[in-house]
């Protein structure tokens, strides 16, 4: 947690039961050497006492615009300028709604509107409130305004059904802030990196689809690595439960291979490096039934499938000399030969092979074991089993050497 030392952090607390976790978060931040100013909503004080918070932070807690007995004015503008980061945890549905709409009727939201630093929110509410369209809309507005929304990873494809609304654990939030303040290797500063990630989902009817087991973890690790090296990142991802933490990452959510192609095509012209880490479904149903297919038939003979566009190959066709295109090959057999064939066929500069035959490599795991092959004929690099974060660093070291 060494990056937090000396950082000015505003910890905003609104009125939810998860406010007890803010005490732990405050303790972690202070222990890491951060200078923390707590701003709490009037409702927040129903859940946690300002005395606890001021004892831990070593500063009076701010809640009102004025201190009642002295008339001292708390300047939200000065506070907004002082902060290196602001984190609102827990953020209730009401605080999120006020932030999204600029309703500055308490010190916390007023400070948010004055903050010049990166703002993080950790929502905490019950599932129904969290999935209500109005909350979804307000969170989308906040994301659009550059706020980083911190949600626990659920590890499920249908993430919207599991565990949403629970506030992320304080340890995780502190880690995220620490990563945000990490000193940057600026080798990719000024470069635009595009990454495709996760699976694609091809709809059969309103309730069924064809997809694969890709978790998106490798692509998201690559996005974080690129951003930490100073790149502007466009991350185009199919449905997955991963979240990003670096504000340099612009995430574009898509569903099908066609949508992914469209988004990738748009971003490609302006990018210096494109990495195709998505597991694109090879086929999609020829027709989409807009009504649920009923179970009236004994057997269904077939669902006719049509070939999806090959995104990597289509970018390979229009690649300029000043652009680097990187692909992945996930193989079960003849790894090296298949990888080299894809490298040529898709006009890639580099391909990363991971084999499902290696334990701990491939889909869903937090680790991967890769080999890297190059189009310019230099010998391949073979790596040992590592965390996907470390693998992402190896991949960018290879790219920087191209
Ligand atoms: N890829 C893509 N669009 C597709 C299929 C693949 O962009 N429709 C990209 C992947 O992101 C990856 C590379 O191409 O970087 C190789 O993907 P892979 O699925 O291994 O290759 P395929 O061409 O689909 O060949 P096969 O399924 O026969 O192994």
């Amino acid at each position: 947690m060494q990056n937090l030392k000396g950082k000015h952090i505003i910890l905003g607390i609104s009125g939810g039961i998860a406010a007890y976790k803010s005490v732990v978060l405050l303790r972690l931040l202070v222990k890491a050497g951060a200078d923390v100013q707590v701003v709490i909503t009037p409702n927040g004080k129903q859940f946690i006492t300002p005395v606890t918070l001021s004892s831990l932070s070593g500063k009076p807690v701010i809640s009102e615009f004025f201190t009642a007995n002295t008339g001292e004015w708390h300047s939200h503008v000065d506070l907004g300028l002082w902060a290196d980061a602001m984190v609102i945890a827990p953020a209730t549905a009401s605080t999120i709604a006020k932030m999204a709409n600029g309703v500055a009727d308490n010190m916390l939201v007023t400070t948010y509107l004055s903050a010049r630093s990166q703002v993080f929110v950790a929502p905490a509410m019950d599932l129904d409130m969290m999935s209500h369209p109005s909350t979804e809309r307000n969170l989308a507005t906040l994301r659009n305004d550059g706020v980083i929304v911190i949600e626990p990873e659920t590890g499920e494809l249908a993430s919207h059904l599991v565990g949403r609304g629970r506030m992320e654990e304080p340890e995780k939030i502190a880690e995220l802030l620490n990563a945000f303040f990490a000193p940057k290797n600026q080798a990719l500063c000024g470069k635009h990196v595009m990454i495709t990630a996760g699976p694609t989902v091809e709809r059969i009817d309103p309730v069924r689809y064809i997809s694969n087991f890709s978790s998106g973890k490798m692509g998201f690790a690559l996005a974080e690595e690129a951003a930490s090296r100073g790149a502007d990142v466009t991350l185009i991802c199919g449905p997955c439960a991963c979240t990003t933490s670096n504000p340099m990452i612009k995430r574009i959510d898509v569903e099908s291979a066609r949508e992914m192609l469209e988004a990738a095509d748009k971003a490609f012209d302006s990018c210096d490096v494109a990495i195709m880490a998505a597991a694109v479904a090879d086929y999609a149903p020829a027709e989409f039934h807009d009504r649920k297919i009923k179970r009236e038939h004994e057997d269904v003979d077939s669902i006719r499938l049509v070939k999806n566009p090959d995104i990597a190959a289509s970018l390979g066709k229009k690649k300029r000399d000043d652009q680097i295109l990187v692909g992945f090959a996930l193989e079960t057999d003849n790894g090296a030969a298949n990888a080299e064939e894809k490298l040529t066929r898709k006009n890639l500069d580099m391909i990363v092979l991971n084999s499902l035959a290696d334990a701990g490599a491939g889909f869903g795991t937090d680790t991967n074991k890769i080999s890297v092959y190059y189009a310019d004929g230099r010998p391949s690099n073979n790596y040992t089993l590592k965390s996907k974060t470390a693998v992402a660093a190896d991949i960018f070291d290879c790219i920087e050497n191209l």
Side-chain angles (χ1 to χ4, degrees):
M1 296 283 172
Q2 70 274 23
N3 306 327
L4 290 169
K5 198 162 186 293
K7 291 293 184 294
H8 296 168
I9 297 173
I10 299 172
L11 173 58
I13 301 177
S14 58
I17 183 62
Y20 76 90
K21 291 192 193 172
S22 314
V23 178
V24 181
L25 177 59
L26 173 58
R27 178 84 194 96
L28 287 167
L29 297 176
V30 169
K31 214 171 135 204
D35 193 355
V36 186
Q37 174 63 62
V38 176
V39 180
I40 192 166
T41 62
N43 276 335
K45 290 194 281 186
Q46 309 283 334
F47 290 88
I48 183 92
T49 129
V51 179
T52 309
L53 299 164
S54 61
S55 313
L56 287 172
S57 67
K59 289 181 201 294
V61 168
I62 298 177
S63 178
E64 317 295 336
F65 294 102
F66 294 94
T67 305
N69 52 353
T70 62
E72 188 197 347
W73 161 249
H74 298 131
S75 169
H76 51 88
V77 177
D78 289 348
L79 200 53
L81 289 173
W82 169 85
D84 297 313
M86 177 173 189
V87 52
I88 297 151
T92 58
S94 152
T95 289
I96 288 168
K98 287 181 186 178
M99 288 169 70
N101 294 287
V103 181
D105 68 347
N106 65 37
M107 191 61 189
L108 196 160
V109 181
T110 311
T111 306
Y112 161 68
L113 292 178
S114 301
R116 291 286 154 270
S117 65
Q118 179 63 52
V119 178
F120 299 80
V121 297
M125 64 196 76
D126 71 43
L127 178 60
D128 292 332
M129 292 174 83
M130 187 72 182
S131 25
H132 194 281
S134 76
T135 309
E136 299 268 9
R137 209 162 45 231
N138 290 330
L139 283 172
T141 303
L142 289 188
R143 286 195 180 94
N144 234 338
D145 294 343
V147 172
I148 295 176
V149 178
I150 307 174
E151 282 193 70
E153 276 183 32
T154 61
E156 296 284 329
L157 181 63
S159 61
H160 54 289
L161 296 178
V162 194
R164 286 204 66 195
R166 181 171 60 81
M167 187 175 118
E168 179 59 291
E169 295 308 319
E171 292 75 12
K172 267 299 208 30
I173 299 177
E175 267 173 37
L176 237 140
L177 288 169
N178 187 54
F180 170 72
F181 287 117
K184 312 276 185 286
N185 151 359
Q186 294 298 309
L188 295 177
C189 195
K191 301 281 183 204
H192 180 198
V193 174
M194 173 179 87
I195 297 165
T196 65
T200 66
V201 161
E202 314 295 337
R203 288 182 187 237
I204 299 169
D205 70 12
V207 294
R208 304 179 180 92
Y209 60 79
I210 295 174
S211 191
N212 56 62
F213 289 116
S214 169
S215 63
K217 286 178 182 170
M218 193 63 244
F220 276 65
L222 285 163
E224 293 294 343
E225 183 63 28
S228 80
R229 294 182 186 215
D232 267 318
V233 182
T234 302
L235 174 63
I236 303 168
C237 54
C240 65
C242 296
T243 51
T244 61
S245 59
N246 195 308
M248 300 285 277
I249 303 172
K250 180 178 162 219
R251 170 175 177 164
I252 300 176
D253 286 293
V254 297
E255 192 177 274
S256 65
R258 288 187 180 280
E259 286 173 20
M260 187 173 273
L261 173 66
E262 197 181 311
D265 214 45
K266 252 191 214 149
F268 188 62
D269 275 353
S270 72
C271 82
D272 301 287
V273 178
I275 308 179
M276 309 284 98
V280 183
D282 286 328
Y283 299 92
E287 50 177 341
F288 170 69
H289 295 258
D290 53 7
R291 299 290 173 86
K292 185 181 171 197
I293 302 170
K294 300 300 289 176
R295 205 158 65 97
E296 62 206 2
H297 310 285
E298 248 336 281
D299 295 308
V300 175
D301 287 341
S302 63
I303 297 174
R304 204 169 78 80
L305 301 178
V306 290
K307 205 163 193 173
N308 265 333
D310 188 325
I311 301 166
S314 110
L315 299 184
K317 278 202 183 104
K318 59 179 208 173
K319 186 182 66 168
R320 299 187 307 264
D321 287 348
D322 62 339
Q323 291 178 303
I324 294 176
L325 184 60
V326 179
F328 269 74
L330 177 65
E331 305 293 341
T332 51
D333 313 285
N334 304 324
N338 283 329
E340 304 240 34
E341 184 273 325
K342 284 173 190 170
L343 183 67
T344 317
R345 175 162 51 89
K346 303 191 186 210
N347 194 25
L348 309 171
D349 298 287
M350 188 178 121
I351 193 159
V352 181
L353 166 68
N354 37 186
S355 168
L356 279 184
D358 290 321
F363 282 172
T365 57
D366 289 317
T367 51
N368 207 356
K369 184 170 183 302
I370 61 160
S371 299
V372 174
Y373 296 82
Y374 301 93
D376 63 7
R378 73 181 86 183
S380 63
N381 296 115
N382 303 298
Y383 296 91
T384 54
L385 186 72
K386 297 183 182 188
S387 74
K388 284 188 172 164
T389 308
V391 170
D394 288 338
I395 291 172
F396 273 102
D397 287 346
C398 295
I399 292 172
E400 283 179 19
N401 281 330
L402 277 178

